[in-house]
Amino acid sequence: MSDYVKLFTLEEISSPCVEVILEAGAPRVMATGEKMNAVCPDAYMNGYNWEALFRRYLEEKDPDILEGMKTDPEADMYVAYWPLTPENEARARRFETIVRSLIEDEEAICRFVEERGEEIEWD
């Protein structure tokens, strides 16, 4: 498995949470982003645009994941997190799987960007 996306459970903080982190600057992620950018010039894939893409994708494909989800994008990173509950741990695991599958299947993610690029609120 690639290490560009990670799931963490943080129990020893004041507000326990579960989070999924995408390293937007990782070589594999950058390569996928470059292919997306070739399909849609607005898809310059920094953390903010990964947030926009994931939000639109989840709205259509798995809106339950968005329940209680908060995000913290940066230039070279994207973080999604939820309060720590069994339901949210399941959401985070599903989201991690979705992120991994989108990065690995460049054809599918590029097709989604080509078809929905106009609907995505790019940064």
Side-chain angles (χ1 to χ4, degrees):
M1 262 201 197
S2 300
D3 62 355
Y4 54 80
V5 62
K6 298 176 182 121
L7 186 141
F8 292 98
T9 301
L10 305 170
E11 297 181 47
E12 292 142 11
I13 59 175
S14 61
S15 297
C17 66
V18 59
E19 61 184 28
V20 174
I21 299 174
L22 172 69
E23 294 180 29
R28 180 71 178 100
V29 178
M30 292 289 289
T32 300
E34 288 172 10
K35 291 184 177 163
M36 294 165 53
N37 185 244
V39 171
C40 176
D42 291 331
Y44 174 78
M45 299 313 292
N46 57 27
Y48 302 98
N49 276 341
W50 282 110
E51 175 183 38
L53 173 76
F54 292 145
R55 183 158 301 282
R56 178 62 188 93
Y57 186 87
L58 292 172
E59 285 170 352
E60 181 175 325
K61 306 289 185 182
D62 196 342
D64 177 67
I65 290 175
L66 294 169
E67 184 72 30
M69 182 173 102
K70 295 188 192 274
T71 61
D72 185 15
E74 299 294 333
D76 62 350
M77 177 174 73
Y78 167 83
V79 179
Y81 60 97
W82 300 257
L84 185 58
T85 67
E87 296 83 11
N88 287 339
E89 285 181 290
R91 286 182 178 105
R93 281 191 300 277
R94 285 197 333 264
F95 185 53
E96 178 191 22
T97 299
I98 287 169
V99 170
R100 219 174 271 289
S101 68
L102 287 172
I103 300 297
E104 296 297 325
D105 189 349
E106 293 174 343
E107 186 177 309
I109 197 170
C110 286
R111 186 173 45 253
F112 184 83
V113 168
E114 187 172 30
E115 293 171 359
R116 307 287 193 290
E118 300 272 328
E119 303 166 13
I120 297 171
E121 295 181 32
W122 303 108
D123 179 48

